[in-house]
Amino acid sequence: MDAEILEQETGRRQDGGAKRRQIMDGARTVFLSAGFDGASMNDIARAAGVSKGTLYAYFTSKDELFEAIIRAEYAQSAERLCTFRREGDPRSMLTDFGVRLMRRMAEPSHMSLARVVIAAVEKFPNVGRTFYESGPLFGATRLAAELRALEAAGALKLPDPERAAWHFVDLCLSYVYKRLLFGVVESLSPGEIEDAVESGVEVFFRAYGA
């Protein structure tokens, strides 16, 4: 009997997880097409193929739903991105990270979501905080830990590892990401990404190289 109850409970959790993902997938489509402000819970329920009652059983507000999408979007990708390659010299390691970071940030899906967040943040600052904590802050914190390890190995000299991490990211993004974010260009070529990162790495080691 206990085994039957456990099996039923496991099935309910799996069904609930699938329904939650179904709602989030529908909501993501609506947010990207209508923007955060323009999206309604009615539209989201319709796009997700669920009733409003079911929608509100999983998410009590549009803010909560959007924040859940952001966390889901960035939690796994940030974890994968911040797996650093430790073979070879420090420049190669940071170049590899910088190129993977830029490729991720230049993906159309990431760019679209970032624009939705930027448009929403004035009215809904908690949305911006969630985006910041799930992506940029998580990555910079992990990078700072790697930079400390490089300093301990004698490759870098860092008065402030956290600030150095942000400097590195900004150097890699350079002007190329801004042009993409604001629609000056539609995409970035692999060559543009590699050039921006290599230039950023060079400047970073001139500033922080031991």
Side-chain angles (χ1 to χ4, degrees):
M1 184 65 178
D2 289 342
E4 292 178 5
I5 293 173
L6 179 60
E7 185 177 348
Q8 290 171 2
E9 180 62 26
T10 300
R12 280 194 292 268
R13 285 199 300 267
Q14 290 174 342
D15 290 345
K19 185 65 70 176
R20 182 182 174 88
R21 287 192 297 273
Q22 176 183 336
I23 291 170
M24 290 171 65
D25 288 344
R28 193 181 191 283
T29 300
V30 175
F31 283 128
L32 292 182
S33 62
F36 182 81
D37 223 6
S40 71
M41 293 296 264
N42 281 331
D43 294 335
I44 291 169
R46 187 161 46 249
V50 299
S51 67
K52 282 188 69 177
T54 299
L55 175 58
Y56 279 106
Y58 284 87
F59 299 98
T60 59
S61 68
K62 185 171 68 171
D63 301 41
E64 180 188 348
L65 177 50
F66 191 58
E67 288 172 25
I69 291 171
I70 292 173
R71 290 193 182 94
E73 184 94 7
Y74 291 99
Q76 293 182 355
S77 63
E79 192 69 37
R80 289 194 301 267
L81 184 64
C82 292
T83 301
F84 295 90
R85 190 182 72 187
R86 296 187 174 89
E87 311 87 48
D89 63 278
R91 285 176 181 260
S92 297
M93 184 269 273
L94 289 176
T95 300
D96 173 72
F97 171 71
V99 168
R100 288 187 292 112
L101 173 68
M102 281 289 289
R103 286 174 179 167
R104 168 61 179 150
M105 295 187 69
E107 289 175 1
S109 61
H110 177 280
M111 190 62 55
S112 297
L113 193 59
R115 287 170 177 153
V116 172
V117 171
I118 290 170
V121 74
E122 185 173 356
K123 290 184 179 179
F124 307 95
N126 57 308
V127 168
R129 283 193 294 270
T130 300
F131 183 89
Y132 171 77
E133 291 168 1
S134 300
L137 181 60
F138 178 90
T141 301
R142 293 288 291 271
L143 177 58
E146 293 297 317
L147 296 181
R148 288 191 190 92
L150 291 178
E151 182 179 37
L156 298 173
K157 185 176 181 181
L158 303 170
D160 185 339
E162 284 78 15
R163 180 166 297 193
W166 286 107
H167 283 169
F168 178 77
V169 171
D170 287 341
L171 286 168
C172 290
L173 297 180
S174 186
Y175 77 101
V176 294
Y177 179 73
K178 297 292 196 307
R179 293 168 67 225
L180 183 63
L181 179 64
F182 296 113
V184 178
V185 296
E186 293 184 359
S187 63
L188 297 179
S189 70
E192 287 175 308
I193 290 175
E194 291 168 7
D195 287 346
V197 172
E198 288 173 3
S199 176
V201 169
E202 180 64 29
V203 174
F204 184 81
F205 273 89
R206 288 187 185 185
Y208 293 112

